Amino acid sequence: MPKRRDILAIVLIVLPWTLLITVWHQSAIAPLFAIRKVCHHLVKEILIIPERLTIHRQRLADDGTETRHDTGPATDSKEYCSQDKDIVEVVRTEYVYTRPPPWSDVLPTIHVITPTYSRPVQKAELTRLANTFLHVPNLHWILVEDSQRRTPLVTRLLRETGLNYTHLNVETPRNYKLRGDTRDPRIPRGTMQRNLALRWLRETFKSNSSQAGIVYFADDDNTYSLELFEEMRSTRKVSVWPVAFVGGLRYESPKVNAAGKVYGWKTVFDPHRPFAIDMAGFAINLRLILFKPQAYFKLRGVKGGYQESSLLRELVTLSDLEPKAANCTKILVWHTRTEKPVLVNEGKKGFTDPNVEI
Amino acid sequence: MRMRLKLKTVFVLYFTVSLLGLFYALMQLGAGQRCDCRDPDLSKDQQISQLRGELQKLQEHIKTSELSKKTDVPRIYVITPTYARLVQKAELTRLSHTFLHVPQLHWIVVEDAPLPTPLVTDFLAASGLTYTHLYKLTPKDRKLQEGDPSWLKPRGAEQRNEGLRWLREMGSAAKGKEAAALEEAVVYFADDDNTYSLQLFEEMRYTYRVSVWPVGLVGGMKFERPVVEDGKVVRFHTGWRPNRPFPIDMAGFAVSLRMILSNRQAQFDGDAQMGFLESSFLQHLVTMDDLEPKADLCTKVLVWHTRTEKPKMKREDALQKQGLGSDPDVEV
């Protein structure tokens, strides 16, 4: 019969160790493992190198001569994996991308959050956006679909680009009371998707504050210069710059005084907003996002043009803003909008093949 | 007796050690919560300049990467007519980002202007692409006026012809290896507001005469395409006037440079009826039988006829009237 004293002794020995282990596990080790898993997952995704480059290179290596091949697109994922098996082993130790620039251990990662939704021009928009992002080193694209499920179109597109990405989705609730299938008009478009991405970042980079990163909200129809990404990389808290074609003007811009501090906003539409700036006109340091885990875009009750303020006012004050783009005198991002394509002929001559993806 | 004593001390020691360990862990946690957002400026600036240097290195690496070393693939000459408007720089910027990924691409930009503009000149110089900058002003009677619908007059005909003229001039002057390279080259007409996938350029690279493929979001339909049977184009699936000789969009075909050099009279007819611009050029070169179908026998959409909205300038116009318009020196 075990004595009561012995049982007490055993319990008292085991208790502090279990406490220690659970607490330690929660704080330090889990994020590391999670990051490693995420990284491994990212690395695997990165390795689906666009088939043109690899197939072509392989053929050149084999033949030595340039022969004309009708290389059909390799849509079968098995083909990807079998060709890249060797490269997979190499990349496990270091990040190496063929089409995106080589990953640098020194540059802060730019996490680009893009909400998107299905419409005829979606694939085109994402394609040309990806073509721009493929030039930016250390870019992590967080694409959030406004849908119930992640669509095959976007899944395939992301995989084929070769970019470092994370694919999320959340559906904005629809307002069925209105005619048709319109979404809840009280929630500005893209808000839930951006918030989901913020939450993902906070769950992935929990307390591991040594991860240098910048968060940027990029809509899928804007135009971004490559210089913009290098300007935002040195953000300490929140950096700002001018944006073209917003607010009914050639461009809107923060007002910067001689000391290099932001003191106002050069806009016509409600310049007295706390942050009279477009979504594409600022970037936030990841550390700040993690440090203020309650800061999100306000979902409801947001007046037009105040969405950006609803997030920024929880993170910084006006004096903390860092002006970029030569003290806010250069335009590095354009708020372009794509026309809705006229599809009047769709019903007339018989529907176009729905199996062909556009 | 001695055994029990030893066990007791061991137990006590064990207990204290674990407690200490727990406290240590809690302290670690507590330290982690504090955000070190304020960094000493000096060391950060150093780091920033180090990062910038690293970035320069990476960018150089990109520019001189395998793409430029790849000289053994046929060259693609892309002719883009362009004209000054608010979104011009944005369109050219994102277009250049696509072209930078394509090996052996030579961009021929033809401005609808009496002289080359500084915006386009500076832009091309900084783009990192191989380019030729031309200009040709559309005569007033052929030019769309403010308020005209976009379909009233064909656009870009003079500029594309100017591009063809330059190619023919270059073709005549070329000798030796350069002439051999031109034998295999391909010419593509790319408008500055469309969207091109990278795969498209690989599809068109090997064109013997004229190759064709589907174009998305054009002709009032999700896509227009040549219909292929037994590897040959038999008709065109299009929503608008299918009886044209070539009811195909400018973005839906590419012509081998050889054909252009050997058919000097092939031009775009600036007076052609709307929708017949492409036909006015192609009918000098090929018949439907000779067309080479690409993009998986014309079943995949690799190019989209996107159009960019004209940005609303109501407030800007109002400010201009008051003399308070935005700084015109800031290039948009």
Side-chain angles (χ1 to χ4, degrees):
Chain A
M1 270 291 282
K3 284 198 185 148
R4 227 176 46 194
R5 211 182 259 174
D6 291 330
I7 299 171
L8 189 68
I10 292 167
V11 166
L12 280 173
I13 288 169
V14 171
L15 191 68
W17 282 107
T18 42
L19 263 169
L20 187 76
I21 288 169
T22 37
V23 163
W24 193 258
H25 183 82
Q26 258 182 19
S27 72
I29 300 185
L32 269 176
F33 281 161
I35 286 169
R36 247 190 229 131
K37 241 199 321 180
V38 166
C39 289
H40 185 74
H41 165 80
L42 288 174
V43 162
K44 261 176 70 180
E45 296 299 344
I46 290 148
L47 293 182
I48 309 302
I49 298 159
E51 73 274 20
R52 289 290 160 207
L53 218 51
T54 38
I55 291 175
H56 211 81
R57 239 192 252 128
Q58 279 191 345
R59 290 240 168 81
L60 288 175
D62 296 334
D63 307 326
T65 52
E66 175 66 3
T67 46
R68 201 195 131 162
H69 282 282
D70 203 10
T71 45
T75 49
D76 185 14
S77 61
K78 280 194 216 128
E79 206 177 3
Y80 283 134
C81 294
S82 59
Q83 276 180 346
D84 300 340
K85 247 198 192 124
D86 299 339
I87 310 174
V88 172
E89 300 310 310
V90 172
V91 180
R92 280 226 179 97
T93 50
E94 46 184 300
Y95 293 102
V96 174
Y97 305 83
T98 51
R99 189 164 270 158
W103 195 269
S104 159
D105 287 326
V106 186
L107 292 175
T109 306
I110 298 181
H111 301 278
V112 179
I113 297 175
T114 301
T116 185
Y117 64 104
S118 291
R119 76 264 197 209
V121 297
Q122 182 189 37
K123 191 176 181 190
E125 301 281 41
L126 294 178
T127 300
R128 55 183 169 186
L129 201 57
N131 288 344
T132 296
F133 290 162
L134 281 165
H135 292 292
V136 183
N138 285 42
L139 185 141
H140 173 216
W141 197 13
I142 304 174
L143 194 58
V144 194
E145 290 197 73
D146 188 345
S147 62
Q148 226 173 41
R149 264 175 286 274
R150 296 186 283 179
T151 59
L153 186 150
V154 175
T155 311
R156 232 176 295 133
L157 186 143
L158 282 173
R159 201 178 48 217
E160 284 170 2
T161 57
L163 280 166
N164 178 357
Y165 71 89
T166 296
H167 186 186
L168 306 170
N169 72 294
V170 62
E171 195 179 25
T172 310
R174 317 257 172 155
N175 193 338
Y176 292 110
K177 288 185 212 153
L178 291 179
R179 203 166 60 92
D181 199 14
T182 44
R183 279 146 226 263
D184 193 331
R186 291 170 295 163
I187 302 178
R189 202 157 63 182
T191 313
M192 288 188 69
Q193 289 71 37
R194 294 187 190 99
N195 282 346
L196 179 66
L198 286 174
R199 203 178 77 187
W200 182 90
L201 281 169
R202 286 168 175 139
E203 282 173 6
T204 313
F205 297 98
K206 225 187 259 193
S207 316
N208 194 342
S209 41
S210 64
Q211 290 273 339
I214 313 289
V215 177
Y216 181 54
F217 297 98
D219 288 345
D220 61 8
D221 55 357
N222 292 342
T223 305
Y224 310 92
S225 69
L226 300 181
E227 214 186 316
L228 175 74
F229 297 102
E230 300 323 316
E231 287 286 309
M232 71 171 77
R233 230 185 266 274
S234 54
T235 303
R236 288 196 199 122
K237 281 193 179 162
V238 175
S239 53
V240 292
W241 48 79
V243 179
F245 311 144
V246 280
L249 299 171
R250 269 175 86 233
Y251 62 90
E252 271 183 1
S253 147
K255 284 193 197 160
V256 182
N257 61 20
K261 285 251 176 237
V262 177
Y263 67 95
W265 307 98
K266 220 188 291 181
T267 80
V268 168
F269 172 65
D270 208 343
H272 302 294
R273 291 173 273 167
F275 294 90
I277 196 166
D278 182 79
M279 198 66 75
F282 64 91
I284 309 169
N285 192 315
L286 181 63
R287 252 182 282 132
L288 191 55
I289 299 274
L290 299 176
F291 185 50
K292 301 261 174 92
Q294 310 307 322
Y296 282 100
F297 287 103
K298 197 153 170 250
L299 268 183
R300 289 191 168 84
V302 182
K303 256 205 302 184
Y306 281 78
Q307 230 218 337
E308 295 82 2
S309 304
S310 73
L311 174 74
L312 287 173
R313 64 157 186 254
E314 305 202 28
L315 295 172
V316 277
T317 58
L318 207 69
S319 55
D320 281 335
L321 296 175
E322 301 149 51
K324 301 285 176 187
N327 262 349
C328 295
T329 56
K330 276 163 68 166
I331 308 293
L332 301 174
V333 56
W334 300 262
H335 195 276
T336 44
R337 290 171 55 88
T338 307
E339 274 182 22
K340 196 167 165 198
V342 168
L343 296 178
V344 283
N345 287 325
E346 268 299 319
K348 285 184 196 166
K349 321 274 177 181
F351 280 102
T352 325
D353 187 352
N355 289 324
V356 177
E357 193 182 80
I358 51 147
Chain B
M1 264 301 168
R2 270 173 82 206
M3 283 294 285
R4 218 178 261 171
L5 265 166
K6 254 194 185 166
L7 191 65
K8 213 179 187 176
T9 43
V10 165
F11 167 72
V12 168
L13 259 159
Y14 191 78
F15 190 60
T16 18
V17 165
S18 0
L19 261 169
L20 286 168
L22 188 68
F23 279 125
Y24 177 70
L26 285 168
M27 295 303 284
Q28 282 282 323
L29 265 182
Q33 289 285 354
R34 247 179 288 121
C35 171
D36 190 14
C37 286
R38 275 178 294 112
D39 301 299
D41 284 294
L42 275 171
S43 70
K44 270 295 165 182
D45 281 336
Q46 271 184 358
Q47 204 183 10
I48 287 170
S49 53
Q50 185 203 5
L51 290 178
R52 287 230 168 94
E54 173 105 13
L55 194 66
Q56 283 279 63
K57 258 195 297 167
L58 284 175
Q59 283 174 334
E60 289 309 310
H61 173 94
I62 296 164
K63 281 194 183 153
T64 59
S65 69
E66 307 105 38
L67 287 182
S68 52
K69 289 187 206 141
K70 229 188 203 174
T71 50
D72 44 359
V73 289
R75 210 175 293 161
I76 301 178
Y77 287 96
V78 178
I79 298 179
T80 299
T82 185
Y83 66 104
R85 75 270 198 205
L86 284 166
V87 296
Q88 181 188 37
K89 191 176 181 190
E91 301 281 42
L92 292 176
T93 300
R94 56 183 170 186
L95 200 59
S96 72
H97 293 165
T98 297
F99 291 163
L100 276 167
H101 290 298
V102 184
Q104 285 294 304
L105 186 143
H106 186 129
W107 198 13
I108 301 172
V109 178
V110 194
E111 291 196 74
D112 186 350
L115 284 169
T117 59
L119 187 147
V120 176
T121 311
D122 296 339
F123 166 78
L124 286 174
S127 65
L129 289 162
T130 308
Y131 68 89
T132 296
H133 186 184
L134 304 170
Y135 56 95
K136 184 88 172 140
L137 188 63
T138 310
K140 265 214 184 108
D141 55 344
R142 283 195 187 158
K143 211 179 162 83
L144 277 178
Q145 302 305 318
E146 192 72 33
D148 278 345
S150 64
W151 45 261
L152 195 64
K153 293 177 184 137
R155 281 186 308 185
E158 279 78 15
Q159 288 73 40
R160 293 187 189 96
N161 285 339
E162 172 68 11
L164 290 172
R165 183 203 62 77
W166 181 85
L167 280 172
R168 286 170 175 140
E169 201 181 279
M170 194 226 3
S172 320
K175 292 183 176 62
K177 253 202 246 178
E178 181 65 13
L182 297 184
E183 270 298 302
E184 299 206 310
V186 180
V187 179
Y188 182 54
F189 299 96
D191 289 344
D192 62 7
D193 56 356
N194 292 339
T195 304
Y196 310 92
S197 71
L198 300 180
Q199 204 190 335
L200 175 74
F201 298 99
E202 301 318 313
E203 291 287 318
M204 73 171 76
R205 210 184 276 279
Y206 300 96
T207 296
Y208 189 61
R209 288 203 191 89
V210 175
S211 52
V212 291
W213 48 78
V215 178
L217 310 173
V218 72
M221 307 218 293
K222 282 203 191 132
F223 62 89
E224 271 187 348
R225 68 181 177 102
V227 177
V228 177
E229 275 165 28
D230 287 330
K232 283 210 170 282
V233 177
V234 293
R235 62 180 184 280
F236 294 91
H237 177 84
T238 162
W240 191 75
R241 293 245 198 134
N243 298 317
R244 294 174 274 164
F246 288 94
I248 194 168
D249 184 77
M250 196 66 72
F253 67 90
V255 185
S256 72
L257 184 58
R258 212 172 21 87
M259 291 232 81
I260 290 183
L261 296 178
S262 53
N263 291 293
R264 302 212 152 235
Q265 75 285 10
Q267 300 252 325
F268 288 95
D269 183 2
D271 289 323
Q273 231 187 344
M274 190 53 211
F276 284 78
L277 193 63
E278 295 83 0
S279 306
S280 72
F281 174 64
L282 288 172
Q283 60 196 13
H284 294 298
L285 296 170
V286 277
T287 58
M288 189 165 71
D289 243 16
D290 288 330
L291 295 174
E292 296 149 57
K294 300 285 179 185
D296 244 14
L297 296 178
C298 295
T299 55
K300 295 233 156 66
V301 176
L302 302 172
V303 56
W304 298 264
H305 194 275
T306 44
R307 291 174 54 87
T308 306
E309 274 183 20
K310 195 169 163 199
K312 299 196 181 85
M313 287 288 127
K314 269 200 293 203
R315 294 202 178 98
E316 179 76 37
D317 294 336
L319 284 180
Q320 297 269 6
K321 287 206 181 100
Q322 297 170 30
L324 296 166
S326 58
D327 185 352
D329 283 332
V330 175
E331 192 182 76
V332 156

